[in-house]
Amino acid sequence: MTEPEALLLPPDDGSWRLADYLRRGGYEAARKALTSMAPADVVSEVRRANLRGRGGAGFPAGVKWGFVPPAGPGPRYLCVNTDEGEPGTFKDRLILRRAPHALIEGLVITAFAVGVPKAFIYVRGEYARTAGRLEAALAEARAAGFIGPRVLGTDFSLDVVVHYGAGAYICGEETALLESLEGRRGLPRVKPPFPAAVGLFRAPTVVNNVETLAAVPGIIRRGADWFVGRGLPKDGGTRLFGVSGAVRRPGVYELPVGTPLRRIIEDHAGGPPEGRRIKAVVPGGLSAPVLRPEEIDLPMDYDSLAGAGSMLGSAGIVVIPDGAPMLDILHLTARFYAHESCGKCAPCRIGTAWMLKIVERLRRSGGRPADLDLILSLGEGIRGRTLCPLGDGAAQSVRAVVTKFREELEQAVAR
Amino acid sequence: MSFAPSPAALAEIERAIARYPRAAAALLPVLHVIQGESGFISKEAADWVADKLAVDPVRVREALSFYTMFRTAPGGRHTIRVCRNLSCHLAGAEDILGFIVERLGIRPGETTPDGAFTLTAVECLGNCDHAPCLQVDGLDHAPASRGSVAALIEELKGRD
């Protein structure tokens, strides 16, 4: 981190405007791509960078772009997933506020690379006020010729539309997002076909997360090798690790992919407040199975977290302190998925509702320790039996709380 | 009963529709415009939207019952959304929510009898580093404390 100008997130000092972004070398990458590179070269540079999707699934962005069929006569679209709603995740909000032009520049480069003339930015409805800066930045970019007709004087044109959701976590799932964008309930689609082949209005579509796109200008400007060098060979770059919960300095920390979880929590976020100890850590948003304190000496990259039976997800880290009853954590987890299940797949719709009912009974009275096994078996009934990852997220996060803190839960139930 | 948006809202609706390759895709933006003007989406307004976008009325009602930010009955002049997911829970969200419930005399999902406030308990608002957080009329208020919330409620009452 010796080059502050290479950081994705500048300080929160009002330097989000175009003039400041240009002073930091902004839009040089877009100029380079549009005036000196072929679209296919842009795709292969990003593929070489091993930029893995920052939304949670971790699919390599360059590979995803490569699935879009070669330019044909019909329309094609780019959608920016700004439906940030995974509990414990607030990084995309900060990009909207502090670096909206990094997102816009990444959007321009990506649209050029996949030959898209029209892009939609799907922003969760609750971020409408926060996205005021994004809209202001888009107006600046339009006035300066970075989006709109004949971008930077080339033959490439790009129309960008900001679209606001209206309260539905599920719309962060890419096919639900497309359904929502088409004016329907956000119900995930059957995959395949994947959006790259059949997406928005049945046209080839790329859906990328905000942080993913914001990382693209750096790759084009400084090269794939530079990007890989900042992270891990198979998982390049830096990431915005959000840390909240029981730490002295909650916030977002931009660090190399692979930075150990314990170091992020203790060195960067200051560790738990005086007199508190870490009881559990959610490493990547609520859907990522919770870790016990002895499990947090892990490099924060997709493969390492998967190897530990959890998930890097959105890299939203939440530190749970001693003294926080795990029955409460179990309850809010079950409540979240029961509330957010879209209802399309029966195992998720019914399973999450029953998990919540059982947890509520455990909290009142009349619950039995054996109910914990019932919760686990409901989870097994959901896992792998749904169209989208929400069901798996519900099953695995609930399962981790129940199995890793079983003794405490049983004692709480017995009382 | 028939519904008609104001000329300004209608112009905004036309601009929204023009941004999409198909009119139906403008459903959410159009509903946002109408709710912004009327405070809620009446049955008549929903049917007007269906007609305007050339979709079946049921499709509008499906959306209204799916997306939590739309309301089909009048709400308060101010809407308070209190986050109660993990990070906010750890920072005392239940206490903040209980305090607001006590102050306003309503439960989540309800509106005060004078029509001033609607209170909702919501999932993550993506402001976890400022927990506990809430939004008032879409504006972030975080971190929230009993004191800050009491002052906020008084200020909003004074503004009406």
Side-chain angles (χ1 to χ4, degrees):
Chain A
M1 296 301 107
T2 48
E3 338 155 69
E5 77 283 1
L7 287 177
L8 196 55
L9 268 191
D12 192 7
D13 58 359
S15 65
W16 58 274
R17 289 204 169 271
L18 180 60
D20 293 287
Y21 188 65
L22 291 173
R23 256 196 297 281
R24 295 195 295 269
Y27 289 102
E28 279 175 23
R31 191 177 300 278
K32 177 179 173 187
L34 270 64
T35 61
S36 73
M37 293 173 80
D41 296 337
V42 176
V43 175
S44 63
E45 192 70 15
V46 172
R47 189 187 288 138
R48 266 198 334 112
N50 288 326
L51 166 63
R52 296 181 66 169
R54 269 39 173 161
F59 197 82
V63 177
K64 194 185 241 188
W65 300 353
F67 289 155
V68 175
R76 48 178 61 207
Y77 300 103
L78 173 62
C79 294
V80 185
N81 190 340
T82 318
D83 195 53
E84 179 168 74
E86 180 67 34
T89 312
F90 50 94
K91 65 192 181 64
D92 295 340
R93 169 199 281 267
L94 296 185
I95 292 176
L96 297 183
R97 289 193 58 76
R98 282 155 65 177
H101 280 290
L103 166 62
I104 298 168
E105 185 178 11
L107 176 68
V108 171
I109 295 167
T110 305
F112 170 75
V114 286
V116 164
K118 182 138 183 147
F120 293 94
I121 305 180
Y122 188 108
V123 180
R124 69 180 294 198
E126 294 88 341
Y127 278 12
R129 295 290 191 100
T130 287
R133 278 196 187 167
L134 172 67
E135 301 232 27
L138 282 166
E140 288 182 325
R142 211 168 273 128
F146 295 123
I147 57 175
R150 301 184 55 79
V151 175
L152 292 164
T154 65
D155 289 337
F156 176 70
S157 297
L158 178 64
D159 180 26
V160 181
V161 175
V162 180
H163 180 100
Y164 292 99
Y169 166 74
I170 189 64
C171 292
E173 194 280 332
E174 62 177 5
T175 62
L177 183 149
L178 298 176
E179 284 288 303
S180 181
L181 199 38
E182 290 184 13
R184 281 187 290 267
R185 285 183 163 199
L187 307 185
R189 296 175 180 173
V190 177
K191 292 194 275 191
F194 290 91
V198 182
L200 189 63
F201 308 115
R202 305 197 64 75
T205 303
V206 167
V207 185
N208 281 137
N209 167 261
V210 172
E211 188 188 349
T212 310
L213 289 181
V216 169
I219 295 170
I220 296 306
R221 191 167 156 205
R222 298 181 167 87
D225 295 328
W226 169 83
F227 191 77
V228 168
R230 279 164 77 81
L232 297 176
K234 286 184 172 175
D235 199 339
T238 54
R239 273 194 80 141
L240 301 178
F241 294 99
V243 191
S244 63
V247 291
R248 285 192 177 87
R249 293 186 296 275
V252 81
Y253 296 92
E254 181 172 353
L255 299 165
V257 168
T259 303
L261 178 54
R262 186 183 294 280
R263 267 195 48 211
I264 298 173
I265 294 170
E266 292 182 351
D267 299 354
H268 296 278
E274 190 68 39
R276 304 305 290 271
R277 281 171 39 228
I278 298 174
K279 179 178 191 175
V281 176
V282 170
L286 192 68
S287 300
V290 70
L291 300 170
R292 294 186 58 98
E294 62 272 19
E295 295 177 300
I296 63 171
D297 292 294
L298 269 177
M300 285 290 275
D301 61 89
Y302 279 110
D303 297 341
S304 299
L305 268 288
S310 188
M311 194 170 85
L312 181 58
S314 61
I317 300 162
V318 188
V319 177
I320 299 170
D322 55 348
M326 293 312 281
L327 188 52
D328 288 351
I329 309 296
L330 181 63
H331 178 235
L332 70 87
T333 304
R335 183 181 65 202
F336 176 74
Y337 294 103
H339 182 256
E340 300 297 345
S341 175
C342 77
K344 182 168 182 170
C345 306
C348 174
R349 179 182 70 236
I350 301 168
T352 56
W354 276 105
M355 286 202 293
L356 176 59
K357 281 183 194 179
I358 296 167
V359 176
E360 283 173 343
R361 184 171 74 175
L362 289 176
R363 271 162 62 91
R364 282 197 311 270
S365 62
R368 303 165 314 234
D371 286 349
L372 295 170
D373 294 315
L374 193 52
I375 291 169
L376 292 177
S377 81
L378 280 163
E380 285 311 301
I382 300 171
R383 199 145 65 144
R385 294 177 168 86
T386 58
L387 289 178
C388 89
L390 188 145
D392 290 344
Q396 74 197 18
S397 55
V398 163
R399 183 189 166 79
V401 174
V402 171
T403 55
K404 294 186 180 182
F405 296 91
R406 177 129 193 167
E407 201 176 329
E408 179 191 326
L409 292 172
E410 285 187 356
Q411 282 169 6
V413 171
R415 272 201 294 276
Chain B
M1 281 291 286
S2 66
F3 170 85
S6 70
L10 184 62
E12 213 181 324
I13 287 169
E14 300 288 2
R15 279 198 301 276
I17 293 172
R19 287 196 278 267
Y20 298 86
R22 295 181 197 172
L27 179 60
L28 264 50
V30 168
L31 292 174
H32 278 305
V33 172
I34 292 175
Q35 181 159 299
E37 176 164 72
S38 315
F40 71 108
I41 315 285
S42 66
K43 167 84 170 58
E44 292 75 21
D47 289 345
W48 183 90
V49 171
D51 194 53
K52 184 76 190 166
L53 303 181
V55 298
D56 288 334
V58 67
R59 199 159 136 187
V60 179
R61 269 170 258 161
E62 276 179 356
L64 291 175
S65 62
F66 185 82
Y67 296 99
T68 56
M69 288 174 72
F70 294 130
R71 49 168 77 125
T72 52
R77 290 185 294 281
H78 303 290
T79 300
I80 304 179
R81 289 186 198 122
V82 183
C83 173
R84 54 174 181 172
N85 209 289
L86 184 54
S87 308
C88 287
H89 166 82
L90 294 172
E94 294 303 329
D95 180 67
I96 295 295
L97 184 60
F99 179 73
I100 299 173
V101 163
E102 195 179 295
R103 272 290 155 115
L104 298 181
I106 52 171
R107 285 177 306 180
E110 296 176 348
T111 299
T112 52
D114 63 357
F117 296 98
T118 295
L119 174 64
T120 56
V122 300
E123 299 301 347
C124 188
L125 290 172
N127 211 353
C128 319
D129 53 339
H130 295 91
C133 75
L134 50 85
Q135 287 189 339
V136 180
D137 301 330
L139 271 181
D140 295 308
H141 176 86
S145 64
R146 284 181 168 229
S148 76
V149 169
L152 183 71
I153 290 173
E154 287 314 307
E155 192 217 316
L156 291 168
K157 277 183 179 165
R159 217 190 283 167
D160 285 333

